[in-house]
Amino acid sequence: MAALRVLLIGSLLLAAPSLSGASRRGLHGNNFFSNCAFSHMAPDDPIVYPRQPGASHAHTFFGNETTDAFSTPASLRKGKTTCRTKGDTAAYWIPTLYDHGSEARPAKAQLYYVNRGYDQMQPFPPGLRIVAGDQHAMSPQNQRTVYWSCDASAISVRIGPRPSKCGVLSARFRGVVQRCPTCAKQKNFMVRTKTWVELHVVFPDCWDGKRLDSPDHHSHMAYSRDFRCPASHPVKVPLLRMNIRYPLTDGRAVELASGSPITAHADFFNAWDQQALAKLVDACFHDRPCNR
């Protein structure tokens, strides 16, 4: 595959809906992230198949090390976590990915909590359960929710609803970089780097304010439009972006435990230390230092 060529602008920006100049007025807040290493794999799903061990397709779990079919907010809060961010004992999982029939195990999940909004932002309530994406999809999903890309450090090329072969990427870096205290500063230079298959799942960021789950595990949540929530789901919560990088440079032969790559989805079970989560969300939303 020919080398991919993109223009890299200074720093990595989280993708977000485009905003007009008028709608930007009053918009504020920033992001924090939580890196959570691989924890375990199991055919369990405490959201879709609670108290039914082995009933689900295989899942790859990150964060809370105790997550299983019997997990509850209380049990998760007592569990250990693979997440580096203090207080993050939440559970995160995705369908297991196979390459030519063998498990392809990612090293970690990178979770971005985007705290952008206008007049209010609430932390996820304790015990909130969310499924993003459709495990039964028969056609490509909306890429606002799920997409695949080829990624390297601070570089991303969106591919689409299915992964492809990732090549060597050539990018022009616009900005100034000093690689070490005694190194000369570099600016406007070209880089070439190998890229890896990466899955991106974006969770809805508006809550109905009543239910911690719903029969379809979707309808208690909704996506904002330009960071504004619909009247049916008035409570603005962080927009959670889950990025999973696989140790693969060619994704053309992969399958998920749920089926083809277009069935990609992810689950989130909030079991954060609620005080720690609330503090982070409040600091980020009010533009105070929060990504520590």
Side-chain angles (χ1 to χ4, degrees), residues 1 4 147-152 155-160 163-167 169 194-200 245 248-249 251:
M1 179 181 178
L4 298 169
Y147 66 92
W148 297 84
S149 69
C150 291
D151 282 65
I155 299 174
S156 180
V157 178
R158 184 181 295 215
I159 299 300
S164 184
K165 183 177 181 180
C166 294
L169 184 146
K194 181 185 293 186
T195 57
W196 308 91
V197 174
E198 187 160 312
L199 170 63
H200 302 254
R245 185 176 300 174
L248 301 172
T249 57

Side-chain angles (χ1 to χ4, degrees), residues 123-244:
F124 296 119
L128 183 69
R129 301 156 177 82
I130 314 176
V131 178
D134 182 5
Q135 66 173 316
H136 303 297
M138 300 296 290
S139 59
Q141 300 185 59
N142 189 329
Q143 291 187 49
R144 183 185 181 190
T145 303
V146 176
Y147 66 92
W148 297 84
S149 69
C150 291
D151 282 65
S153 179
I155 299 174
S156 180
V157 178
R158 184 181 295 215
I159 299 300
R162 296 178 176 85
S164 184
K165 183 177 181 180
C166 294
V168 174
L169 184 146
S170 297
R172 179 173 295 280
F173 186 91
R174 288 186 176 178
V176 179
V177 171
Q178 187 172 18
R179 300 181 185 276
C180 69
T182 59
C183 294
K185 292 182 179 180
Q186 295 177 283
K187 62 180 181 179
N188 299 335
F189 58 91
M190 293 294 296
V191 296
R192 285 175 58 83
T193 182
K194 181 185 293 186
T195 57
W196 308 91
V197 174
E198 187 160 312
L199 170 63
H200 302 254
V201 182
V202 182
F203 286 76
D205 55 333
C206 298
W207 177 44
D208 68 9
K210 301 173 182 178
R211 299 172 293 173
L212 297 178
D213 199 359
S214 51
D216 63 0
H217 313 294
H218 293 274
S219 59
H220 60 304
M221 303 296 298
Y223 287 90
S224 66
R225 184 177 180 82
D226 292 343
F227 298 103
R228 296 187 186 276
C229 290
S232 59
H233 296 75
V235 182
K236 184 70 175 68
V237 294
L239 184 151
L240 175 61
R241 300 176 61 91
M242 182 185 293
N243 300 342
I244 310 292

Side-chain angles (χ1 to χ4, degrees), residues 28-102:
H28 60 95
N30 49 49
N31 318 314
F32 68 87
F33 65 88
S34 186
N35 284 330
C36 303
F38 169 85
S39 173
H40 58 284
M41 187 177 76
D44 288 347
D45 189 327
I47 294 180
V48 179
Y49 295 105
R51 298 176 297 281
Q52 299 178 61
S56 172
H57 53 249
H59 281 114
T60 297
F61 293 86
F62 307 90
N64 201 293
E65 296 178 356
T66 69
T67 311
D68 61 20
F70 298 98
S71 291
T72 64
S75 70
L76 291 171
R77 281 291 299 120
K78 295 177 182 177
K80 294 182 179 181
T81 181
T82 66
C83 299
R84 297 175 62 183
T85 300
K86 185 177 181 180
D88 187 359
T89 47
Y92 310 89
W93 63 95
I94 55 172
T96 298
L97 184 136
Y98 299 92
D99 180 40
H100 293 91
S102 298

Side-chain angles (χ1 to χ4, degrees), residues 232-270:
S232 59
H233 296 75
V235 182
K236 184 70 175 68
V237 294
L239 184 151
L240 175 61
R241 300 176 61 91
M242 182 185 293
N243 300 342
I244 310 292
R245 185 176 300 174
Y246 293 93
L248 301 172
T249 57
D250 190 343
R252 292 176 296 179
V254 304
E255 292 286 327
L256 293 168
S258 52
S260 81
I262 67 171
T263 66
H265 59 283
D267 300 59
F268 167 67
F269 195 143
N270 182 30

